[in-house]
Amino acid sequence: MTDTGIGASVKRREDFRFLTGRGTYTDDINRPGQLHAWIVRSPHAHAKIVKLDTAAAKSAPGVVAVFVGADMAADQVGGLPCGWLIHSRDGTPMVEPPHPPLVTDRVRHVGDQVALIVAETRQQARDAAELLDIVYEELPAVVSMTDAIAPGATQIWEQAARNTCYDWEFGDRAGVEKAFREAHHIAKLDLVNNRLVPNAMEPRAAIGDFDRATGEYTLYTTSQNPHVIRLLMGAFVLHIPESRLRVVAPDVGGGFGSKIYHYAEEAIVTWAAGKLAKPIKWTAERSESFMSDAHGRDHVTTVELALDKDGKFLALREHTLANMGAYLSTFSTCIPTILHATLLAGVYTTPVIYAEVRAVFTNTVPVDAYRGAGRPEATYLLERIVDVAADETGIDPAEIRRRNFIPTNAFPYQTPVALKYDSGDYFTTLDMSLKAADYAGFEKRRAEAARRGKYRGIGIATYIEACGIAPSQVVGALGGRAGLYESAEVRVHPTGSVTVFTGAHSHGQGHETTFAQLVSEMLQIPMDSIEIVHGDTNKVAFGMGTYGSRSLAVGGMAIMKAVEKVVNKGKKIAAHLLEASEADIEYKDGKFQVAGTDKSKAFGEIALTAYVPHNYPMETLEPGLDETAFYDPKNFTFPSGAHICEVEIDPDTGVTRIVNFVASDDFGRIINPMIVEGQVHGGLGQGIGQALLEGCVYDPKSGQILTGSYMDYCMPRADDLPSFNVATHNVPSTDNALGVKGCGEAGAIGAPAAVMNAVVDALSALGVKHVEMPATPQRVWQIIHDKRTAKAA
């Protein structure tokens, strides 16, 4: 390890421009002659559009144009596509209803796009929206999944019987039923994984531009994967050849999954820019984001765990209703299926598993991936049912986990739900967390809290995550409609400086630092000589973007392969210059050297020779030192860990305070420990937010969002979080040469179950067996009040 290479806690290079206000976000970009857009959205959850008169709006001051769904339909604009095809248990494909960028005759959730106002200023466009004469005929709305699938429920889509998108199953049903019949004990739990609003720091924005002279379109957008947006929007929606469509995702202020998808606003402003031959900017207001950004989670689940007399797990089964919202978002269908059920083994040796997932349409905002994407939902149900089983069998929660862990010498380990884990050591990470949390001394702290009139609890969650989403052939076999490889180009300039073009996208991960560290380590050159370029389809040949903690395991490996190609070509050039055999050339310490001699050429000399080939093997080598590589991983990577949360509850107010949180994780080989720790902190904050504070709520009758702003949707603040105690025990992945596993989502996966297990433990003396998320003060106080009242009676 060097001061800037792999393993060094280098400060993030990109932070200087962010902290000094020099970042360039989409809303910071202003094009010459730019116009401004306002999206008119439905105030109703479900309604027919009876009348839509645009005349008054068109004559408003500053208004350039008003467009409606019929205008886009007349241009044969396509619908927003779903990127993952799931089949029901009977083999029929899922119901995939149309998803027009602007609706034509019917709205299906509050916030559905009805019209576009384009004006000289944003305020003029907003004012003109008030002049649209729209008459709606309200229809019954359904926001609850149980209501949506009930006989006689309102049909959101005629083609989706009982509002079902698909009814999917996975696993060994017969084997599970047999194991349950023979089980010594069965634990059962009904639970809800609450709906969340992503709330990235930067709201979404989009600028469409059109060059009349060339016929080329440009979209500037807040995206995690610009190439995927170009593919989806160009091929399926606007029918623009990729050669005439550029997508730029500049600095992006957080995504957490919500900026993966192709949104209607991107297509709308790009299409409108072509119609008007003018740049058009749209930026969401925060309240607009609540009803237009894809939401996360929203599962209703029944889970059962079968055990033998010694507490060994025999079988697991779940039945889940998964909310799709009113339309299918880009990757929505794979979240509760492929990215969820395949993780139900967790870190345990459960022999047989069976999952039933029914995806349901409701009159709500579409639901898609949110930090963890199916993995937090799987971990939550699994770690909650394990704690229920521990309570019912009288086995300590840590001990019942140890009894069922996959042995350290059992890897590679084939789970019963398709995945094969390459490496792991779950015993050590649990032991580290137990020691750091002083688990053995907890009962003393519980007693001390009781003397102060407080309830104290401790909770454990041992999780695993599947990162990278790979390989592409397997993804395709499971219904994915695109490959999930990654690309990289490493361009060495004549002076020896290096530019790396990566298909991964950075929106808070620190790629400009960690990717540079990787190249610095391999080439033994200063980080200052390395530039990382991403986010522009005109600069980067292709890429699949950033999500699923894939950046290093997939994007980093593509960079590594490209650097290796550079070094191999450099050896050929050096062999010619040094009059030696290529086999005798080795590269180390930034030099190409003849093994066993002092004859060498510096990296910069080789780079210059490649571009100024006065003495160059032209007959066997092309000039230049620029290499491209694609990497398609052969397997997921599997980070894991043990999180322990300790809480104290005030029975008079219901306030839950986290007094300690310990996270011990296995992320494989770590490139930058400081960045990893920051990623863990962020994930823990979001996981705690889900457990204690956040929850998107709809009115069951009107379908209105009741938590449509920060007045009602509670985000975690600094004083809601403890000082985290984090550590790593890293077992390298054996499925990629870097040995990396991924870390970006881990905190959000392990934290909710750890927190809720602690809350239930704190209230266990009252006979509480389960508390739904979020464990808000009102909810916790009500539970305590009801239990005390019942006891007094």
Side-chain angles (χ1 to χ4, degrees):
M1 182 186 79
T2 66
D3 290 341
T4 61
I6 293 175
S9 288
V10 179
K11 291 183 179 179
R12 300 198 332 171
R13 301 196 300 175
E14 49 269 64
D15 284 352
F16 179 80
R17 73 172 186 273
F18 296 148
L19 294 173
T20 56
R22 297 176 184 176
T24 301
Y25 300 91
T26 301
D27 191 56
D28 294 323
I29 297 170
N30 292 290
R31 304 294 297 154
Q34 175 178 284
L35 301 173
H36 295 265
W38 183 263
I39 307 290
V40 180
R41 300 183 182 277
S42 169
H44 304 293
H46 197 195
K48 292 181 180 178
I49 301 174
V50 177
K51 177 184 178 183
L52 178 48
D53 188 342
T54 63
K58 286 179 176 178
S59 63
V63 171
V64 176
V66 177
F67 296 110
V68 298
D71 298 316
M72 298 192 81
D75 276 3
Q76 298 184 323
V77 172
L80 306 180
C82 179
W84 210 293
L85 176 64
I86 298 295
H87 288 79
S88 291
R89 66 179 75 198
D90 63 2
T92 59
M94 67 188 190
V95 176
E96 190 173 356
H99 190 178
L102 289 175
V103 300
T104 54
D105 59 353
R106 190 168 171 179
V107 295
R108 289 178 168 84
H109 70 86
V110 173
D112 219 347
Q113 297 84 216
V114 176
L116 170 70
I117 312 289
V118 181
E120 294 171 358
T121 70
R122 191 167 185 255
Q123 190 60 51
Q124 288 173 330
R126 183 174 186 172
D127 290 343
E130 301 293 330
L131 300 177
L132 279 180
D133 184 7
I134 310 177
V135 177
Y136 295 95
E137 178 188 326
E138 287 195 65
L139 301 171
V142 58
V143 299
S144 161
M145 288 184 284
T146 52
D147 290 343
I149 63 174
T154 298
Q155 280 292 117
I156 298 169
W157 296 100
E158 291 181 3
Q159 60 269 49
R162 294 179 68 176
N163 294 309
T164 297
C165 175
Y166 56 77
D167 186 6
W168 181 83
E169 67 175 355
F170 186 69
D172 184 355
R173 182 173 187 172
V176 165
E177 289 176 348
K178 180 177 184 294
F180 270 84
R181 288 194 299 269
E182 299 171 354
H184 177 77
H185 182 81
I186 296 173
K188 183 177 180 180
L189 181 64
D190 297 322
L191 54 82
V192 175
N193 207 293
N194 44 320
R195 177 182 280 240
L196 303 175
V197 179
N199 283 303
M201 186 177 292
E202 176 202 24
R204 287 192 299 113
I207 304 170
D209 202 352
F210 177 70
D211 187 330
R212 183 179 291 174
T214 63
E216 294 177 354
Y217 292 81
T218 300
L219 169 68
Y220 302 88
T221 183
T222 47
S223 176
Q224 298 176 216
N225 46 359
H227 289 87
V228 174
I229 303 305
R230 183 181 67 172
L231 172 64
L232 296 177
M233 188 174 74
F236 298 100
V237 185
L238 299 184
H239 314 299
I240 302 170
E242 287 171 303
S243 60
R244 292 199 291 114
L245 177 58
R246 176 189 182 192
V247 177
V248 181
D251 290 327
V252 174
F256 315 119
S258 70
K259 293 174 183 173
I260 297 173
Y261 328 117
H262 177 33
Y263 283 99
E265 296 87 358
E266 295 168 325
I268 291 168
V269 297
T270 305
W271 171 81
K275 298 292 285 185
L276 300 176
K278 288 277 190 177
I280 300 173
K281 175 190 276 192
W282 168 82
T283 301
E285 294 191 340
R286 183 61 67 177
S287 58
E288 193 176 9
S289 297
F290 274 84
M291 57 183 176
S292 63
D293 290 6
H295 292 175
R297 316 290 192 245
D298 206 350
H299 288 188
V300 175
T301 296
T302 297
V303 58
E304 297 175 276
L305 180 65
L307 301 91
D308 69 12
K309 60 182 178 60
D310 297 317
K312 288 284 288 182
F313 303 162
L314 300 176
L316 178 86
R317 63 185 173 198
E318 72 148 333
H319 175 76
T320 288
L321 296 178
N323 204 332
M324 296 289 101
Y327 303 95
L328 296 182
S329 181
T330 307
F331 294 116
S332 57
T333 52
C334 73
I335 306 306
T337 52
I338 305 305
L339 297 183
H340 170 78
T342 55
L343 269 295
L344 290 175
V347 292
Y348 308 116
T349 56
T350 311
V352 283
I353 295 171
Y354 176 70
E356 295 177 318
V357 178
R358 186 173 182 177
V360 181
F361 291 112
T362 61
N363 292 117
T364 63
V365 173
V367 179
D368 210 315
Y370 174 67
R371 199 168 191 169
R375 284 68 62 91
E377 296 92 317
T379 296
Y380 183 65
L381 71 85
L382 182 57
E383 291 304 291
R384 280 296 296 124
I385 196 63
V386 168
D387 254 37
V388 169
D391 176 65
E392 293 176 353
T393 59
I395 304 173
D396 180 81
E399 176 57 26
I400 199 171
R401 287 172 168 82
R402 281 199 192 94
R403 292 185 191 183
N404 290 281
F405 276 164
I406 298 166
T408 306
N409 63 1
F411 295 96
Y413 181 81
Q414 178 63 57
T415 74
V417 279
L419 299 182
K420 180 181 281 189
Y421 303 161
D422 63 329
S423 66
D425 181 2
Y426 314 134
F427 295 91
T428 297
T429 49
L430 177 59
D431 289 343
M432 289 170 62
S433 284
L434 293 172
K435 181 178 180 181
D438 186 21
Y439 188 76
F442 170 71
E443 290 303 331
K444 291 182 180 179
R445 298 193 295 279
R446 191 201 296 267
E448 187 278 329
R451 289 193 291 271
R452 292 185 284 107
K454 303 293 195 294
Y455 296 117
R456 202 170 181 110
I458 196 165
I460 300 172
T462 48
Y463 76 92
I464 193 165
E465 180 187 5
C467 299
I469 312 181
S472 292
Q473 287 187 337
V474 173
V475 168
L478 293 173
R481 289 168 165 169
L484 292 174
Y485 52 83
E486 197 49 82
S487 73
E489 177 189 356
V490 175
R491 182 180 301 166
V492 182
H493 301 289
T495 57
S497 63
V498 174
T499 299
V500 177
F501 300 88
T502 173
H505 185 277
S506 182
H507 43 277
Q509 292 85 357
H511 293 170
E512 294 174 35
T513 302
T514 51
F515 286 166
Q517 285 182 256
L518 171 59
V519 176
S520 175
E521 176 84 9
M522 293 185 69
L523 294 180
Q524 294 293 295
I525 62 175
M527 279 184 64
D528 289 345
S529 299
I530 302 164
E531 177 191 21
I532 307 297
V533 175
H534 61 91
D536 188 337
T537 62
N538 271 18
K539 294 180 179 179
V540 180
F542 199 77
M544 297 306 298
T546 294
Y547 42 83
S549 301
R550 73 192 297 271
S551 296
L552 269 172
V554 187
M557 279 299 302
I559 293 171
M560 181 179 181
K561 287 182 66 176
V563 171
E564 288 175 343
K565 289 183 177 181
V566 165
V567 171
N568 288 337
K569 184 172 183 180
K571 286 181 178 180
K572 292 180 170 62
I573 299 171
H576 176 81
L577 294 178
L578 296 170
E579 300 178 338
S581 168
E582 181 185 337
D584 292 333
I585 302 296
E586 57 186 19
Y587 184 74
K588 62 180 181 179
D589 299 326
K591 296 179 180 180
F592 293 90
Q593 186 168 346
V594 180
T597 75
D598 60 357
K599 296 172 62 179
S600 66
K601 290 289 183 180
F603 179 76
E605 293 180 86
I606 297 299
L608 183 62
T609 300
Y611 288 96
V612 186
H614 297 313
N615 182 11
Y616 194 83
M618 295 292 290
E619 65 280 2
T620 58
L621 279 182
E622 293 181 355
L625 199 52
D626 185 340
E627 297 290 343
T628 298
F630 286 80
Y631 178 73
D632 191 2
K634 64 180 182 180
N635 194 7
F636 291 88
T637 61
F638 300 100
S640 61
H643 292 182
I644 298 180
C645 177
E646 190 168 333
V647 303
E648 190 170 279
I649 297 174
D650 185 338
D652 295 329
T653 63
V655 171
T656 299
R657 184 171 66 92
I658 298 177
V659 295
N660 190 29
F661 199 106
V662 173
S664 299
D665 300 292
D666 170 14
F667 296 136
R669 190 183 189 191
I670 289 179
I671 304 298
N672 187 313
M674 182 166 57
I675 288 178
V676 166
E677 185 170 345
Q679 288 287 311
V680 173
H681 282 209
L684 292 176
Q686 286 181 280
I688 290 169
Q690 176 175 11
L692 297 182
L693 301 165
E694 298 183 53
C696 181
V697 180
Y698 282 84
D699 182 89
K701 292 184 179 180
S702 68
Q704 295 294 324
I705 304 177
L706 301 179
T707 52
S709 75
Y710 292 144
M711 293 294 290
D712 302 293
Y713 188 94
C714 188
M715 296 283 286
R717 299 176 300 183
D719 59 356
D720 294 313
L721 307 175
S723 293
F724 299 119
N725 183 345
V726 302
T728 58
H729 170 70
N730 300 307
V731 181
S733 171
T734 60
D735 282 335
N736 65 73
L738 281 173
V740 297
K741 292 183 176 180
C743 70
E745 297 164 299
I749 293 171
V755 173
M756 296 311 297
N757 283 342
V759 169
V760 173
D761 181 58
L763 301 178
S764 61
L766 296 172
V768 173
K769 300 297 183 181
H770 181 64
V771 178
E772 294 288 8
M773 298 189 290
T776 60
Q778 187 276 334
R779 175 171 283 167
V780 172
W781 180 90
Q782 192 67 57
I783 290 171
I784 295 170
H785 174 77
D786 291 349
K787 290 291 184 180
R788 286 179 169 179
T789 301
K791 185 177 181 181

